[in-house]
Amino acid sequence: MGNLTMLLVIRADSHRHMPMYFFLSHLSFLDAFYSSVIVPKLLENLLSKWKTISPLECFTQISLVIFSRAAEACLLSVMAYDWFQAVCHPLLYVVAMNKKVFTGLVGASWTIGMGTGLVNSIRLAQQHFCGPNLVRSFACELPPVLLLTCSDPYVSVASILTTMAVLGLGTLVLLLGSYTRIIMTALGINSAMGQSKIFSTCSSHFLVVTIFYGSGVFRYMTPASGSALEQVLSVQYSVVTRC
């Protein structure tokens, strides 16, 4: 509801149609979409005696989860690049971030997310599952479902690692590069008020990025085991960061 309210406020106010709010509206939609994929089934499982999910529903959930996370990672790096242009090149900002550019960046984020979700979920669906198919997680995600395969998961694992290396590191490098230039520019300003304005403006986005990547690294860079700590990290990554 919070994300949908923010989305409606941005859409209703004509003064909030600049790139920053355009990116924020798509980020809010992705967060609301992700919550809609995970939370309803989570609540159903908590309230029902039989906690089941069909194979089609499971692989669909995996595909949508990967899509939203990949698209959000791209969108967060795009927002950091937008801040970089606004802080480091304020006079050229309107030219550098015109409507064609920022709509293209958002479109690319969605396209990459969709492609990543389809490729990884299709690779996983081609594996052989011989049972018992007990997913030790509150949702269908790649790490716990991979534990159920009876065939060699090499192709799926290679696909996941490639995605993490290319998409994860690529967006992270863009984020770190943008924030490094922003910090250097802010420190070069003599006005304390100017520095405070820059840091206060970027702090909320930096906090979201830290929680998103921090939780993601702990969730996907550790072996899947179904432990209580893994469940906590999964909830942190899947639910808390969407608020």
Side-chain angles (χ1 to χ4, degrees):
M1 289 300 296
N3 283 305
L4 290 178
T5 301
M6 183 178 295
L7 183 62
L8 291 174
V9 169
I10 293 173
R11 290 299 182 185
D13 190 346
S14 60
H15 297 290
R16 300 184 185 275
H17 290 172
M18 57 190 298
M20 178 182 67
Y21 292 107
F22 182 76
F23 297 143
L24 188 59
S25 65
H26 281 267
L27 184 64
S28 298
F29 178 83
L30 282 173
D31 284 341
F33 175 81
Y34 184 88
S35 299
S36 301
V37 172
I38 293 293
V39 176
K41 191 64 180 179
L42 167 63
L43 295 177
E44 179 187 338
N45 289 335
L46 290 174
L47 297 174
S48 62
K49 182 179 179 180
W50 302 105
K51 311 176 191 304
T52 60
I53 186 170
S54 68
L56 178 60
E57 289 177 327
C58 185
F59 289 117
T60 300
Q61 191 176 65
I62 289 174
S63 178
L64 294 177
V65 164
I66 297 174
F67 151 67
S68 59
R69 287 174 175 171
E72 184 166 351
C74 293
L75 195 56
L76 287 172
S77 63
V78 166
M79 293 176 72
Y81 175 74
D82 177 60
W83 286 119
F84 157 72
Q85 290 290 350
V87 173
C88 300
H89 305 106
L91 299 179
L92 298 175
Y93 176 75
V94 177
V95 178
M97 295 300 293
N98 58 63
K99 186 175 182 179
K100 184 178 180 180
V101 171
F102 67 74
T103 53
L105 290 172
V106 169
S109 299
W110 280 76
T111 302
I112 292 172
M114 290 178 184
T116 303
L118 284 174
V119 169
N120 283 280
S121 58
I122 290 173
R123 291 291 187 186
L124 183 61
Q126 292 173 344
Q127 299 294 324
H128 180 59
F129 298 88
C130 53
N133 294 325
L134 177 62
V135 181
R136 298 186 179 277
S137 178
F138 68 88
C140 279
E141 296 180 292
L142 273 172
V145 174
L146 266 178
L147 293 176
L148 307 179
T149 61
C150 300
S151 55
D152 186 2
Y154 171 78
V155 175
S156 293
V157 172
S159 177
I160 296 168
L161 292 177
T162 302
T163 299
M164 294 179 65
V166 176
L167 184 61
L169 291 179
T171 55
L172 186 60
V173 167
L174 182 58
L175 279 162
L176 294 177
S178 298
Y179 272 109
T180 300
R181 290 293 304 276
I182 291 172
I183 293 173
M184 291 175 61
T185 301
L187 294 177
I189 298 176
N190 295 326
S191 171
M193 183 177 295
Q195 291 182 355
S196 177
K197 183 178 180 180
I198 292 175
F199 287 126
S200 62
T201 303
C202 300
S203 59
S204 58
H205 180 261
F206 184 76
L207 179 61
V208 171
V209 168
T210 302
I211 296 175
F212 180 82
Y213 278 91
S215 301
V217 167
F218 281 108
R219 179 69 183 95
Y220 287 99
M221 295 302 288
T222 57
S225 61
S227 64
L229 177 59
E230 184 179 332
Q231 298 297 315
V232 171
L233 291 174
S234 187
V235 173
Q236 164 75 25
Y237 189 61
S238 302
V239 180
V240 178
T241 56
R242 312 296 145 184
C243 301

